[in-house]
Structure formats: structure tokens, C-alpha cells
Amino acid sequence: MTSIAVFPGTFDPYTNGHHDIVLKGLRMFDEVIIAVGVNALKTTMFPLEKRLEWIQNVYADEPRVRVKHYEGLTIRFCEKMGAGFILRGLRTVGDFEYEKQIALVNSDQNPDVQSVFVLSEQKYTAVSSTVIRDLIRNGGAYQQYLPKAVSVHEERF
Ligand code: ADP
């Protein structure tokens, strides 16, 4: 049976830290679905279409990665995709506390979907989409934290 993991997030924008987690996921699972969660109540810096396009470009040569978006509960999306795993990255103890809570609730919702946590490489622990958005807004150097295909410099803010 094909093992499928969903890697859910907002990816506003997609970073080298996210990419690292997906590469590690590909060593564990047959397929990784990068799932961009759409939350009507949350405003993002980059439109959904752009975030999807950039991520698709990062994995243009990787047939084991699919890029999708979804609304509503992550666990329902996993069921729809036939995914048995939720992949998440951990940078800090803070990430762990937050992720643990979500994973326990997800497991109540559907115990057949297992959350799997992957530690961030040391060099990516300081990388977050929030910090990168701040750098972008304020003219800082941010390109080093993003995969080449994530061409945010072509966007207008
Ligand atoms: P969310 O809106 O769910 O926080 P994000 O796009 O910020 O979504 O992150 C998605 C996933 O990627 C989360 O599991 C998060 O912990 C992980 N992640 C984000 N940045 C990094 C990083 N630098 N290294 C490892 N994992 C990361």
C-alpha cells in the first residue's frame, strides 16, 4: 500500500525550512501532499494562487510530491486523500507544545491518521514565514531563506 503523508501549512511564503521537512518526509513516505490550508478569517501576504504556484515549481521534477489546497479540518482532508500520516516540522519546544495539542485532537478525530514530527535542521530553526514576511516588508535580505522557485521579489506588496 502506498504511504501518503499530508504536510499542511499556510506557507506564506514557503521556506527552506519547509523544503527540508518535505525532503525528510520523502525518505519516509511514498508520497507527500503539501496542503495549503485556506482560512477565510486569516489574511496572508501572498495570494493562494501564488503560494501554490511557487511550491509546484519547487517540486516540478519530483513526482512524489503533490501540491493541493483545502478548507476546513486537516483531518478531513487527509481522509479525502487517503493519507495515513500528517507530517509536521519541529523547530523549538514552543513548536512541540503547540503541535502536540493539535496532534492529540487530530488523533481523537481519527486515530488511523498518525502525526509524524520531524526535527528541523539546526540551520533552519530560526527560519519562519513570519520573520521572512517582516524582512520583506522592511527591506531586509530574505532570499537566502527561500527556495529559488519562490520568486517573491517578482510580487508587489
Ligand atoms: P502553520 O500555519 O500551520 O503554522 P506554517 O506554514 O507556518 O503553517 O508551517 C507548516 C509546518 O512547517 C509546521 O509544521 C511548522 O512547524 C513547519 N515549519 C515551519 N518552518 C519550519 C522550519 N524552519 N523548519 C522546520 N519546520 C518548519
Side-chain angles (χ1 to χ4, degrees), residues 7-11 17-18 21 42 88-89 91 99 120 124 127:
F7 180 48
T10 311
F11 308 122
H18 295 131
I21 299 300
K42 213 164 153 182
R88 295 287 284 179
R91 287 160 292 187
E99 294 295 341
S120 177
Y124 299 130
V127 179

Side-chain angles (χ1 to χ4, degrees), residues 9-10 36-44 48 51 69-72:
T10 311
V36 184
V38 180
N39 180 345
L41 300 175
K42 213 164 153 182
T43 51
T44 56
L48 174 65
R51 282 177 282 147
H69 68 280
Y70 70 103
E71 279 181 60

Side-chain angles (χ1 to χ4, degrees), residues 28-154:
M28 295 186 281
F29 307 106
D30 296 321
E31 262 187 47
V32 173
I33 300 175
I34 302 173
V36 184
V38 180
N39 180 345
L41 300 175
K42 213 164 153 182
T43 51
T44 56
M45 180 174 248
F46 300 106
L48 174 65
E49 292 66 31
K50 272 287 155 197
R51 282 177 282 147
L52 290 169
E53 181 190 313
W54 287 330
I55 303 170
Q56 258 145 11
N57 289 343
V58 173
Y59 301 100
D61 298 324
E62 181 43 85
R64 294 194 296 131
V65 171
R66 280 189 278 164
V67 185
K68 304 238 169 225
H69 68 280
Y70 70 103
E71 279 181 60
L73 295 177
T74 304
I75 200 82
R76 295 285 101 82
F77 179 73
C78 292
E79 290 161 359
K80 203 170 115 193
M81 292 292 115
F85 304 92
I86 296 175
L87 176 64
R88 295 287 284 179
L90 295 179
R91 287 160 292 187
T92 60
V93 176
D95 272 358
F96 173 72
E97 289 294 340
Y98 173 72
E99 294 295 341
K100 181 179 149 194
Q101 240 185 332
I102 297 177
L104 290 174
V105 172
N106 279 335
S107 160
D108 286 342
Q109 304 289 313
N110 184 342
D112 293 332
V113 178
Q114 175 68 51
S115 292
V116 174
F117 303 100
V118 169
L119 281 189
S120 177
E121 292 288 314
Q122 184 83 36
K123 61 181 178 227
Y124 299 130
T125 49
V127 179
S128 73
S129 296
T130 306
V131 167
I132 289 168
R133 287 197 302 276
D134 229 44
L135 289 170
I136 293 171
R137 263 190 219 104
N138 296 294
Y142 57 85
Q143 209 59 48
Q144 58 197 306
Y145 305 116
L146 303 178
K148 282 209 170 48
V150 181
S151 50
V152 305
H153 55 280
E154 288 168 8

